[in-house]
Amino acid sequence: MNDVINLLLQHRSIRKFKDVPFSREQREAILSAAQAASTSSNMQAYSVIHITDAALKSQLAELAGQQAYVSECPLFLVWCADLHRYAEAAHRHGDTPITGNAENLIIATVEAALAAQNAAIAAESFGLGVCYIGGLRNKPADVSELLGLPQLVYPVFGMCIGMPDQEPLHRPRLPQEAVYHENRYTANPSAVSAYDETIRAYMHRRTNGKVDTTWSKEMAAKALRPRKHMKAFLSSQGFDME
Ligand SMILES: Cc1cc2nc3c(=O)[nH]c(=O)nc-3n(C[C@H](O)[C@H](O)[C@H](O)COP(=O)(O)O)c2cc1C
């Protein structure tokens, strides 16, 4: 195809990292790539916090559900949806209230994700590996307090970055016909059934036959663990979702 598409197709999450620091130039290039992402009306409604303090990293690893790679990775970033800066800028020109309504919440969350994914691809282009850490939303209020997040800012996810010290199998994705539609949405349960068997075979390979599961089983298990605290947490950070 081409180098960019080949790079994208090589992605797999990395959860074990070599103890190799990387250069300031690399970090700055990764963040410049993040900042180059498209942004709704140029709002740039996100912030990213680089965790350089080892003790703080350990606390975040714990809060994320004891994910050790959070404290072990050379670079840990927390991607935040951020309407605080937007509100402050707008208030320089009047007291129009800026709220964390549903539309603004969507914009800020999407922008954090677009910037983060650009960073992920930039990191992978240097031969580094990444892993998103949604586990930070297990205890979002504690994370926000530790990071000093003001109103209208919330942690969307973290991201581990570093030199891979493992070669995990690529996790197969849904068949394209499950996610691709022409003109009109058409559900495709048979593609999901086929994918169940793909994931069963993948998990067998990955665990040397120890785990027998399918995608739909994993989704059923996930549905039993909703992060129900998110609505109240977002509201406490000023996202009223009106
Ligand atoms: C928003 C988001 C949150 C995630 N949170 C975690 C996490 O907390 N811990 C983890 O080990 N992986 C996490 N992941 C990684 C996914 O598990 C992984 O991307 C998915 O299983 C597909 O595997 P792959 O990235 O290796 O292709 C997260 C991914 C995304 C996009």
Side-chain angles (χ1 to χ4, degrees):
M1 265 289 179
N2 66 46
D3 290 348
V4 175
I5 290 179
N6 286 336
L7 177 76
L8 293 171
L9 294 177
Q10 276 164 32
H11 162 79
R12 68 263 189 280
S13 293
I14 296 296
R15 299 180 175 87
K16 194 164 187 291
F17 300 94
K18 291 185 181 150
D19 189 15
V20 190
F22 52 86
S23 66
R24 186 194 171 100
E25 287 73 28
Q26 271 185 340
R27 191 193 74 217
E28 286 174 357
I30 288 168
L31 290 173
S32 296
Q35 288 194 268
S38 294
T39 159
S40 183
S41 308
N42 202 23
M43 280 171 71
Q44 304 173 69
Y46 67 91
S47 281
V48 56
I49 302 181
H50 177 189
I51 310 299
T52 58
D53 181 303
L56 180 55
K57 250 171 146 184
S58 297
Q59 282 174 292
L60 293 173
E62 192 67 26
L63 290 172
Q66 293 172 326
Q67 300 199 55
Y69 30 99
V70 169
S71 52
E72 290 159 7
C73 68
L75 176 60
F76 187 66
L77 301 174
V78 180
W79 295 93
C80 301
D82 182 356
L83 296 170
H84 180 84
R85 186 174 47 237
Y86 162 59
E88 196 277 326
H91 286 153
R92 293 179 187 198
H93 304 281
D95 52 9
T96 316
I98 304 297
T99 67
N101 60 27
E103 171 67 1
N104 282 342
L105 172 63
I106 291 170
I107 290 173
T109 306
V110 166
E111 302 228 320
L114 294 178
Q117 183 59 12
N118 263 20
I121 296 163
E124 290 178 343
S125 78
F126 285 128
L128 300 167
V130 308
C131 187
Y132 281 87
I133 303 293
L136 286 186
R137 295 193 310 279
N138 290 349
K139 302 267 184 197
D142 294 353
V143 170
S144 302
E145 195 181 330
L146 277 177
L147 302 182
L149 302 187
Q151 285 284 288
L152 296 176
V153 180
Y154 89 93
V156 184
F157 41 66
M159 182 181 279
C160 301
I161 306 182
M163 192 52 78
D165 195 18
Q166 62 178 179
E167 278 285 339
L169 290 174
H170 291 261
R171 194 182 293 254
R173 296 303 198 250
L174 283 158
Q176 212 161 80
E177 57 269 26
V179 299
Y180 174 76
H181 311 260
E182 271 184 26
N183 302 318
R184 201 175 158 76
Y185 188 95
T186 320
N188 191 339
S190 61
V192 169
S193 303
Y195 188 54
D196 268 349
E197 294 315 310
T198 307
I199 287 294
R200 191 196 297 280
Y202 159 79
M203 286 304 286
H204 265 263
R205 263 202 325 279
R206 207 183 96 176
T207 64
N208 291 324
K210 286 196 200 89
V211 174
D212 180 56
T213 189
T214 64
W215 185 69
S216 54
K217 264 193 207 165
E218 292 296 303
M219 296 306 104
K222 182 174 169 54
L224 293 174
R225 317 183 295 265
R227 289 191 177 110
K228 282 196 165 174
H229 53 266
M230 282 308 291
K231 192 172 176 199
F233 162 71
L234 285 170
S235 159
S236 73
Q237 283 299 109
F239 294 91
D240 53 24
M241 284 173 274
E242 292 295 311

